[in-house]
Amino acid sequence: MTELAKLSASDRAALSLELEQRYNAFKAQGLKLDMTRGKPAPEQLDLASKLTVLLAESDYKGSDGSDARNYGGLDGLPEMKAIFAEMLGAPPAQVVVGGASSLTMMHDTVVRALLHGVPGGTEPWGRSKTKFICPVPGYDRHFAICEHHGIEMLSVALSDDGPDMAEVERLVASDPAIKGMWCVPKYSNPTGTTYSDAVVKRLAAMKTAAPDFRLFWDNAYAVHDLYETGDSLANVLTACAEAGNANRAIVFGSTSKISFAGAGVAALASSPANIADVKKHSGIQTIGPDKLNQLRHVRFFKDFAGVIAHMHKHAELLRPKFEAVIEAFEKELGGRGVATWTKPHGGYFISLDTLDGCAAEVVRLADAAGVKLTAAGATFPYGKDPRDRNIRVAPSMPPLTQVRTAMEVVAVCVLLASAKKLGA
Ligand SMILES: Cc1ncc(COP(=O)(O)O)c(C=O)c1O
């Protein structure tokens, strides 16, 4: 296909007319398609529906003999800790199991640091200006935590193997106000990027002006491979310990997109000093997490191998939807020179980059034709994409046929907005 920019003005005008007709035909269908949030589809949730009926009346004891119906077990049932130990890459003693949401654990970790500081620091972060490095495009809810608590965000570009490390190293070395960095190191939201071993090593070893700098290592998609061979991610806790920065990383994860979103189990893992600090605070916050939920998860998955086997079933459902998005983009946009898109091997999202200045218009056009997309700018701090070009595509939730239709509409919208931009 010819690049739009290389078409003669009259050819581009003819193409625009054709696109308008296709667009109006979609509009006339009265579509109502939602591609906004990365939620599991009902069929994915059905895979774990046994969880709702799994515990028998007499089945409430953990392997340590504790009664899961009662208070206690602040850091989780041993069997649950063992599963997260493998998922997050730490010994079980360095795991704390929380409630149902890893985002809550991240939020609380930030707030505790603002109010009380962290091991190795001299004062609570909140006493002075606090800044976080935010690889972009990234996860809107990470950015919302910073914005909500007055933490200044510094954007750093994410490339194919992780964040631009030269820029990250330059920033953290010179500014002691930079206390943290958000990382979704495997199948990053929204690009699907997995950090290379070299990037993990540099993040673990880099010199930071702040002695109490933390990597918020959100490994939300640790086991969410779409293909038999998934991307591999280096163990950040080991890398940090080897570099003499044992307290640098805090790793988060959950079963939200393994069992049930909002009714799964979340956990964090870190160094012994950080874990002791977490327990100190969480012992004030709660008398113990929901261990019945942990117990039914343990009964259902049995062990980490059980989790992996379960994720193969998710992959069967998700893979066709991801491939449908890529196919639609390749068919409609391939060779046109107006967009690029990622081809993740796992996770929940595909990232689409339009020509500069077109993303908001594409989202507007798609919405008017009945296809809801995540707001343009959402993948950047403060909701502002400086180039107005990134769109996050979330194909998990709608049925496959709807994903196909929605992506054809989006592709037509990209072509229309691009033709207008190029002066059709
Ligand atoms: C990168 C990332 N982290 C965390 C979450 C939310 O996790 P949880 O349900 O455990 O709070 C999501 C959900 O979309 C996500 O994409």
Side-chain angles (χ1 to χ4, degrees):
M1 273 221 247
T2 318
E3 284 186 28
L4 240 59
K6 291 193 179 144
L7 289 177
S8 66
S10 63
D11 281 353
R12 207 154 55 226
L15 179 68
S16 286
L17 206 63
E18 195 186 301
L19 289 166
E20 291 278 1
Q21 281 164 0
R22 280 181 77 190
Y23 178 74
N24 288 331
F26 281 128
K27 240 178 158 174
Q29 287 181 38
L31 298 169
K32 271 200 174 66
L33 307 176
D34 190 338
M35 305 287 296
T36 55
R37 288 233 77 100
K39 291 181 180 176
E43 311 80 73
Q44 291 177 264
L45 301 172
D46 288 344
L47 294 171
S49 55
K50 256 203 186 147
L51 266 170
T52 57
V53 294
L54 204 65
L55 291 184
E57 224 171 294
S58 58
D59 187 11
Y60 48 78
K61 289 240 158 106
S63 62
D64 57 354
S66 63
D67 188 333
R69 300 170 305 175
N70 219 329
Y71 282 141
L74 193 66
D75 55 352
L77 291 175
E79 313 89 299
M80 196 74 241
K81 286 173 71 173
I83 290 178
F84 275 116
E86 286 196 68
M87 193 191 294
L88 305 180
Q94 287 168 233
V95 171
V96 170
V97 183
S101 158
S102 61
L103 192 69
T104 302
M105 296 186 95
M106 292 175 234
H107 173 272
D108 287 356
T109 306
V110 169
V111 172
R112 288 166 186 165
L114 286 169
L115 289 174
H116 298 278
V118 296
T122 51
E123 60 172 16
W125 288 1
R127 286 242 176 100
S128 336
K129 172 124 197 114
T130 303
K131 303 179 191 173
F132 265 45
I133 292 185
C134 301
V136 291
Y139 180 35
D140 51 350
R141 290 182 186 271
H142 287 164
F143 304 155
I145 290 176
C146 284
E147 194 168 356
H148 190 60
H149 295 292
I151 296 173
E152 186 181 325
M153 292 177 269
L154 306 172
S155 297
V156 169
L158 187 70
S159 27
D160 290 345
D161 63 347
D164 173 349
M165 280 311 300
E167 180 64 0
V168 172
E169 285 161 347
R170 189 187 68 76
L171 287 168
V172 296
S174 58
D175 189 350
I178 300 177
K179 299 289 194 186
M181 174 170 173
W182 291 112
C183 300
V184 184
K186 189 169 175 187
Y187 306 137
S188 198
N189 173 352
T191 58
T193 308
T194 298
Y195 292 14
S196 70
D197 292 359
V199 163
V200 175
K201 225 175 181 171
R202 282 173 79 174
L203 286 168
M206 66 193 181
K207 293 226 173 333
T208 62
D212 50 353
F213 174 85
R214 291 292 183 273
L215 294 168
F216 284 74
W217 203 254
D218 180 2
N219 207 356
Y221 301 110
V223 291
H224 302 57
D225 306 320
L226 289 173
Y227 299 93
E228 191 62 35
T229 321
D231 291 358
S232 72
L233 175 70
N235 185 319
V236 73
L237 295 173
T238 312
C240 286
E242 280 171 6
N245 296 315
N247 294 338
R248 178 168 292 181
I250 308 170
V251 183
F252 301 88
S254 78
T255 69
S256 285
K257 285 159 186 174
I258 301 173
S259 57
F260 297 145
V265 184
L268 62 74
S270 194
S271 65
N274 283 342
I275 290 297
D277 189 58
V278 168
K279 285 186 192 170
K280 189 180 77 191
H281 292 297
S282 57
I284 300 295
Q285 201 170 11
T286 177
I287 316 175
D290 179 352
K291 293 179 301 303
L292 279 176
N293 190 32
Q294 293 181 30
L295 196 59
R296 62 189 181 134
H297 275 78
V298 165
R299 295 278 184 270
F300 182 71
F301 290 114
K302 298 193 171 54
D303 51 24
F304 185 60
V307 172
I308 298 295
H310 190 75
M311 291 314 286
H312 289 149
K313 297 182 195 163
H314 278 271
E316 293 300 316
L317 295 170
L318 283 173
R319 201 186 313 119
K321 294 182 180 180
F322 273 74
E323 290 178 350
V325 175
I326 311 278
E327 262 167 42
F329 287 170
E330 267 163 13
K331 179 164 168 260
E332 301 286 344
L333 303 172
R336 290 298 198 181
V338 292
T340 56
W341 51 93
T342 57
K343 294 173 193 156
H345 304 146
Y348 260 65
F349 304 98
I350 289 166
S351 175
L352 173 70
D353 276 335
T354 64
L355 295 178
D356 285 10
C358 287
E361 177 63 1
V362 169
V363 172
R364 190 192 65 77
L365 285 169
D367 188 48
V371 177
K372 283 221 172 321
L373 292 170
T374 307
T379 52
F380 282 75
Y382 311 105
K384 288 198 185 93
D385 174 356
R387 295 174 66 178
D388 182 26
R389 65 168 185 164
N390 188 250
I391 296 173
R392 182 178 83 168
V393 178
S396 59
M397 180 74 176
L400 182 57
T401 48
Q402 289 189 12
V403 172
R404 285 210 180 94
T405 310
M407 287 305 106
E408 202 183 327
V409 174
V410 170
V412 167
C413 295
V414 170
L415 290 167
L416 267 177
S418 311
K420 202 151 89 183
K421 174 96 185 167
L422 292 166

